[in-house]
Amino acid sequence: MADIAPSNGLTPATQTLLRHYRSQVMTRRVYSLLAVAGVLVALFFAMNYANAANSGKFFDRLPYMFDFVKNFLPRDPFEIFRAMFDLESPYFDGSAKYNYTSERVYLTDTFYIPHLIYQLVITVNIAIVSTIIGGGLAFCLCFFAATNLVGAGAVRWFMRRTMEVLRAFPEIVIAGMLTAILSIGPIAAIVAISLHTIGALGKLFFEVVENADMKPDEGLKSVGASWLERVRYAIVPQVMPNFVSYGLLRMEINVRASTIIGAVGGGGIGEVFRLSIGRDYAAQTYAIIIMLLVTIIVIDQFSGWLRRRLVGNQGFNVAKGSV
């Protein structure tokens, strides 16, 4: 909040207003300084507590923070390329660190899929299947949670609370609980991500439904259409472009979620990434990081192109104008 001109030539009423304004500015600055000081003090004590509780020895390890990055380098840049495509390494010494060819996935006697690409495909497949299952169920349930379709009854209350419970826990927490039932692997990851997707997409979907134009619904109701017919012919055509847009965005999020769950036993590239770091496989680790970045960029560009095809450029222009 900037200060204003001096009080010369001002009326008594204006001078009173100016003094009040300056007092408020000073009060706000004092509160801001106190808030920053409070956060710094809390952060200092929190780090001290974590350090004393042996939760990582933050202060002891701080001087060595960049040693890992400096020492965790491949022997030459082409090792990253060799690890990515399972090519033979000139540094092979009998250890698994440089033995990339042993993990090839052969489709025929000569044609193979590189191990990292195969694991990345598993990760993307987990995200796609989870999005389809979670998005499909969210589509079915969202109409029962919309006020303009079911009123304020028990059904709407139950659906909304169910969606809140499903999205209350992160995917990795749900996957951790499911591994006790479904064991470690992609199935637990698919179920965990699907459940969270139902809760997250369901909320977005029913909010879109509540913003739909109800005139077509009133027209169908006046000629005796059933509830399902009104939803099918009056609501769905209006909300589908937004549903598809949210679904594609959710698929991008699910790719990241499936990678994280993979690191704790959900399979796919996340598990390989965790093992690579733990075993000091620098070339393989950097290869995975590059592949993940490229995958996210490709999915982002593809989903943006698909949204434009489905929603049309008009929706994007409106969004740009509102920024």
Side-chain angles (χ1 to χ4, degrees):
M1 188 180 293
D3 205 347
I4 59 177
S7 59
N8 294 338
L10 298 178
T11 63
T14 308
Q15 288 181 6
T16 302
L17 183 63
L18 179 60
R19 282 196 298 274
H20 182 66
Y21 168 76
R22 286 175 172 168
S23 173
Q24 285 189 323
V25 169
M26 183 58 67
T27 302
R28 179 176 176 176
R29 287 174 179 169
V30 170
Y31 284 164
S32 298
L33 288 174
L34 288 175
V36 172
V39 170
L40 292 176
V41 170
L43 187 62
F44 175 78
F45 281 107
M47 287 183 173
N48 261 330
Y49 177 79
N51 196 54
N54 196 21
S55 301
K57 293 291 183 185
F58 177 78
F59 291 113
D60 292 344
R61 302 302 303 172
L62 192 59
Y64 310 103
M65 180 176 288
F66 297 101
D67 285 359
F68 174 77
V69 178
K70 185 175 68 177
N71 298 323
F72 195 67
L73 293 174
R75 298 182 68 166
D76 74 59
F78 289 105
E79 276 298 283
I80 298 174
F81 180 78
R82 297 183 190 108
M84 190 179 297
F85 295 102
D86 289 355
L87 303 178
E88 293 182 1
S89 170
Y91 306 107
F92 178 64
D93 54 2
S95 68
K97 184 174 182 178
Y98 298 104
N99 187 14
Y100 308 130
T101 60
S102 64
E103 295 185 306
R104 293 174 176 175
V105 180
Y106 281 93
L107 298 181
T108 65
D109 291 339
T110 55
F111 182 73
Y112 71 91
I113 299 176
H115 175 64
L116 296 184
I117 294 178
Y118 180 76
Q119 295 298 330
L120 185 63
V121 170
I122 292 176
T123 297
V124 175
N125 276 340
I126 290 173
I128 293 174
V129 172
S130 304
T131 306
I132 292 173
I133 295 174
L137 291 174
F139 175 84
C140 297
L141 299 178
C142 72
F143 301 105
F144 298 98
T147 307
N148 54 345
L149 291 179
V150 296
V155 173
R156 183 189 65 87
W157 184 91
F158 177 76
M159 284 299 168
R160 293 196 177 195
R161 299 297 83 79
T162 301
M163 291 174 185
E164 287 171 2
V165 171
L166 291 176
R167 66 173 181 273
F169 301 97
E171 297 94 331
I172 193 169
V173 175
I174 303 174
M177 293 187 289
L178 289 174
T179 51
I181 304 170
L182 303 173
S183 186
I184 295 174
I187 298 299
I190 290 173
V191 175
I193 299 173
S194 298
L195 290 175
H196 196 274
T197 301
I198 294 170
L201 277 186
K203 173 181 171 56
L204 296 173
F205 283 0
F206 79 68
E207 288 179 349
V208 172
V209 171
E210 288 183 338
N211 290 327
D213 184 2
M214 296 305 291
K215 289 180 181 175
D217 178 75
E218 293 171 2
L220 288 172
K221 190 188 298 183
S222 66
V223 296
S226 66
W227 185 84
L228 283 176
E229 289 171 336
R230 287 157 44 205
V231 170
R232 167 65 183 86
Y233 295 106
I235 304 299
V236 171
Q238 294 185 62
V239 299
M240 273 310 290
N242 282 331
F243 278 17
V244 173
S245 182
Y246 283 134
L248 291 170
L249 176 63
R250 185 66 203 185
M251 193 178 76
E252 295 176 30
I253 297 171
N254 285 348
V255 171
R256 300 181 185 92
S258 60
T259 304
I260 294 170
I261 292 177
V264 295
I269 199 72
E271 186 172 6
V272 181
F273 182 70
R274 179 179 59 83
L275 293 174
S276 297
I277 291 182
R279 294 170 179 172
D280 194 31
Y281 293 175
Q284 198 173 63
T285 302
Y286 284 105
I288 293 171
I289 292 172
I290 293 171
M291 291 169 66
L292 284 174
L293 286 174
V294 171
T295 302
I296 293 298
I297 291 171
V298 169
I299 290 176
D300 180 66
Q301 294 298 314
F302 174 73
S303 63
W305 172 81
L306 193 57
R307 281 200 298 269
R308 285 179 184 276
R309 298 282 296 178
L310 294 172
V311 180
N313 286 327
Q314 185 179 358
F316 288 83
N317 293 333
V318 170
K320 287 179 180 177
S322 63
V323 174

